[in-house]
Amino acid sequence: MSDQRPSATGRLAASTEMSPRQVVEKTELLAYIPAGTQVYVTDLGNAPEDMIVAAARTLSENNLIAVPHMAARRYPSFEAFETRIKRLTREAGVTEVLAIAGEAETPGPLTSSVDMLESGLFDRLGIRKIAVAGHPEGAPDISPEVIRSFLSRKHEIAVNSDAEFRIVTQFGFDPHRVSLWLDELRAWGNRFPVHVGVAGPAKMTTLLKYAAFAGVENSLNFLKKRGGAVVSMLAGYDPETMVDPLEIRLVSQPECQLAQIHVYPFGGIEKTSNWLCDRKSWSFHAPSSSLTATESA
């Protein structure tokens, strides 16, 4: 397993993500992320290709590993998909991607991440690490049987690919549910390392918005019941309630496929960085606090 495992302190390493606009227009935020960190470049359908490529290039130039989202349904043609990969690899030095289905009002000919993988273009055009989506709480529009069959097909493709594969999950708030899902994956025969999605420190009002959008309201309800809705709403969210149990599991089950965490910086990059540095998931000295609460806008 080539992904990072817990350090001597027992802390899981972490990746994070930023929007293309954040990267291009707020480059000062990159100082809060240690060199060599995987930074996923989101694609919500609201950023032009030029900006996505520019964001990936900026990350590479700052010694960070750009991992652009590749959303299958957003490409109007196979040629557009191929052009995107060529631009990312040749203009921005990208070697890693996250392959997802994505959403689009009028989907193109590619309707799933499997369609992109089966094309063989990632291999031919220089992509050496491919992340695929994981859903510990299930997916609203996909049955568990389909999810399992897609994962099986991705394993078949991985056998003949030069790329290393990993699973990166949606964020959630129930570590027990994630633990059960990891057991289920293993029973399915999964061989990919798993990066579990974690919401970074943020106000509960912010998390409510993102949880509704991502379809993880049940997990958030678990969090509120556990800590008390009023207390949680006032105090904000402590991601240690999610990460600590996962790290404890690794101590007792070192064979677990959990390799690291992927942090969604809903409270902003600076707040996320301070938390990860304090807990030793990121081993570097972040700059002194100087950003406003609007940094994540």
Side-chain angles (χ1 to χ4, degrees), residues 2 9 18-19 37 54 73 75 99 109-110 122 161 170 176 189 193 239 251-252 263 265 289:
S2 62
T9 62
M18 297 176 69
S19 71
T37 298
R73 294 171 184 158
Y75 301 111
L110 300 164
F122 289 134
S161 171
Q170 181 56 275
H176 178 65
V251 173
S252 61
V263 183
S289 177

Side-chain angles (χ1 to χ4, degrees), residues 151-172:
L151 182 62
S152 176
R153 178 60 185 138
K154 290 167 186 175
H155 276 79
E156 292 172 356
I157 294 169
V159 170
N160 297 310
S161 171
D162 293 328
E164 297 176 12
F165 282 64
R166 63 177 179 266
I167 294 172
V168 181
T169 82
Q170 181 56 275
F171 66 94

Side-chain angles (χ1 to χ4, degrees), residues 201-205 207 223 230-239:
K203 295 178 181 178
M204 287 298 295
T205 50
L207 293 182
L223 171 71
V230 175
V231 173
S232 295
M233 290 294 287
L234 291 175
Y237 170 62
D238 179 5

Side-chain angles (χ1 to χ4, degrees), residues 193-275:
V194 179
H195 296 195
V196 170
V198 176
K203 295 178 181 178
M204 287 298 295
T205 50
T206 301
L207 293 182
L208 285 168
K209 177 182 70 173
Y210 283 107
F213 176 77
V216 295
E217 298 100 320
N218 289 338
S219 186
L220 185 60
N221 288 335
F222 159 83
L223 171 71
K224 290 162 64 177
K225 290 177 182 178
R226 180 181 177 186
V230 175
V231 173
S232 295
M233 290 294 287
L234 291 175
Y237 170 62
D238 179 5
E240 292 297 343
T241 60
M242 180 71 176
V243 182
D244 273 350
L246 296 176
E247 291 178 334
I248 290 172
R249 173 187 168 122
L250 275 179
V251 173
S252 61
Q253 301 180 41
E255 74 283 359
C256 176
Q257 293 169 323
L258 171 59
Q260 66 178 61
I261 55 176
H262 175 67
V263 183
Y264 295 79
F266 297 137
I269 290 293
E270 179 184 355
K271 185 178 288 188
T272 296
S273 176
N274 289 337
W275 169 61

